Amino acid sequence: MKMKKTAFFLLLFFLLNAVNASAYEFTKINRLFSVLENDYVNETNLKNIALTSLKTLSDFDENLRFYNNDSQAFLYENNNLIGIFELPRENQNPVLWQELLTSVLTTSAQRSDKLGGRESELETRILKTMADNLDIYSRIDELPSAELDIRYDKRNNILYVRPTAFFEGISQKIQTVVTAFPHNSGLIFDLRECRGGSFNEALRTADLFLDSTIIAYSQGKDNQKRYYTATPGDILKGKPIAVLTGRTTASAAELVAAALSEQSRATLIGTRTYGKNSIQSTYRIKDRILFLTSGHFYTPSGKSLEKDGLTPQICTGINNSCISPDSTNSAKDIQIAINLIKKNFG
């Protein structure tokens, strides 16, 4: 009787684990394929992305191996064949490749002791591998940290704003600070260490200082141009702006710098920027963020910043170079900006 009870509970344990494994639906992978189909702007090879990602199964369980030929895929455990899967004939059909991944991962989770209960972790690793096989800017990363350093120089009556990224809500914070000092002489916008952030927040930030002019335009998967125009009103009322740039000024930060510069609203001081004009859509995956390139932006004059970046009007690098920053005197840019604002105020 005791042996029968033990066998019963072992069977029950196995069945419950099998149900739990099969119940996991890998919805994040489904979502990624949907985004690739509808939003991702660059060309993709779904077959290569899917098959490459499945070969990482052995990273989770060294006893698992995934192979494929032109028409079929094979899953082994301890050199024993545990699954045969037909490869989709339509190489660019996201639904079919999503179904293949789900089938292989579900079978792996059901058969592997090391994968049981780790389906979410496995899915995140597969997502990362898939993103790594897209363009260089698409990735899964940790939640980015962002800071906003704001100071008021009483002596020169100048505001200093230094964001590390254009995070959600930054435009409202900047607007609050600027309006709190209505009698300031101008603004120093330090973007030297700003690596990007939200495309929409960059638009809203540039809008604060522009008056009914073009901020930028973008092109997405449909190749249609979408123009972004500033609303009426400049919160600084025409007071001078100096934007500090450097080689790590990238993406959303370049958008703001280009918009203010090309619309004759600010003077760029420093060295050439990074050169990135891609727009990343973001998707939250637990404690991480999936970044996927969903479009490209262009300056008001139609310039692409990719690779070449922006060249400042006043270059402060070594020997007044526009390319090589003078790391020995980072305060030089700020002092030049102060002098420029004082000269142009009023």
Side-chain angles (χ1 to χ4, degrees), residues 28-29 33 37 51 67 78 118 120 145 155 159 164 177 207-208 214 219 278 298 320-321 331:
K28 301 184 187 74
I29 287 177
F33 274 107
E37 181 181 20
L51 296 178
Y67 302 99
N78 290 319
R118 298 178 64 196
S120 179
S145 59
R155 178 182 176 185
L159 286 167
T164 58
V177 170
D207 188 3
L208 295 175
I214 294 174
Q219 284 183 288
S278 62
Y298 301 84
N320 294 324
S321 165

Side-chain angles (χ1 to χ4, degrees), residues 21-299:
S22 62
Y24 194 90
E25 297 180 352
F26 298 97
T27 55
K28 301 184 187 74
I29 287 177
N30 299 349
R31 186 182 184 192
L32 174 57
F33 274 107
S34 175
V35 171
L36 288 176
E37 181 181 20
N38 297 315
D39 299 327
Y40 185 63
V41 72
N42 296 322
E43 293 294 326
T44 57
N45 185 329
L46 294 183
K47 179 180 180 179
N48 179 66
I49 291 171
L51 296 178
T52 299
S53 67
L54 287 171
K55 293 183 189 302
T56 63
L57 279 169
S58 57
D59 293 343
F60 275 77
D61 185 344
E62 65 276 10
N63 296 318
L64 290 176
R65 291 290 184 274
F66 177 84
Y67 302 99
N68 69 275
N69 57 28
D70 291 338
S71 60
Q72 292 181 311
F74 310 92
L75 184 63
Y76 290 83
E77 182 185 31
N78 290 319
N79 298 318
N80 295 314
L81 183 65
I82 62 173
I84 300 177
F85 309 87
E86 296 296 323
L87 297 185
R89 295 182 179 180
E90 300 177 41
N91 287 348
Q92 292 303 103
N93 189 319
V95 174
L96 298 179
W97 287 106
Q98 167 259 310
E99 290 175 351
L100 174 69
L101 259 72
T102 299
S103 297
V104 174
L105 295 177
T106 299
T107 301
S108 301
Q110 290 174 338
R111 295 297 298 267
S112 169
D113 293 336
K114 294 184 178 181
L115 291 183
R118 298 178 64 196
E119 289 88 353
S120 179
E121 183 181 351
L122 171 63
E123 185 176 31
T124 299
R125 174 70 68 85
I126 294 294
L127 283 170
K128 184 179 187 306
T129 305
M130 293 176 69
D132 287 345
N133 281 275
L134 299 172
D135 63 279
I136 61 173
Y137 300 126
S138 295
R139 67 196 189 281
I140 288 183
D141 210 341
E142 295 180 355
L143 292 174
S145 59
E147 300 175 358
L148 179 61
D149 182 13
I150 300 174
R151 307 174 204 168
Y152 176 59
D153 181 350
K154 292 183 179 180
R155 178 182 176 185
N156 296 297
N157 194 31
I158 292 174
L159 286 167
Y160 172 87
V161 175
R162 184 185 68 85
T164 58
F166 282 92
F167 53 88
E168 290 298 325
I170 186 175
S171 58
Q172 183 59 53
K173 291 180 183 293
I174 293 173
Q175 181 175 11
T176 300
V177 170
V178 172
T179 54
F181 296 91
H183 303 297
N184 68 80
S185 300
L187 171 69
I188 297 176
F189 212 165
D190 191 346
L191 300 180
R192 289 176 295 181
E193 301 297 328
C194 187
R195 299 177 181 271
S198 165
F199 174 71
N200 289 329
E201 275 300 316
L203 291 173
R204 285 190 281 266
T205 300
D207 188 3
L208 295 175
F209 309 105
L210 295 174
D211 187 359
S212 304
T213 57
I214 294 174
I215 302 172
Y217 73 86
S218 66
Q219 284 183 288
K221 193 176 183 70
D222 58 6
N223 287 323
Q224 295 295 314
K225 291 182 179 180
R226 181 179 179 186
Y227 288 87
Y228 303 90
T229 303
T231 55
D234 166 10
I235 63 171
L236 268 181
K237 303 185 187 309
K239 294 174 185 175
I241 301 174
V243 177
L244 309 186
T245 64
R247 59 188 173 189
T248 53
T249 305
S251 192
E254 290 179 285
L255 184 154
V256 173
L260 298 181
S261 173
E262 288 196 358
Q263 300 295 9
S264 301
R265 187 61 191 89
T267 301
L268 305 188
I269 299 171
T271 52
R272 187 181 297 173
T273 62
Y274 181 82
K276 178 189 173 198
N277 77 324
S278 62
I279 301 169
Q280 264 67 51
S281 294
T282 58
Y283 306 87
R284 182 74 175 266
I285 302 176
K286 285 196 171 181
D287 60 342
R288 292 176 178 269
I289 294 288
L290 169 65
F291 297 85
L292 279 183
T293 302
S294 58
H296 297 92
F297 72 85
Y298 301 84
T299 70

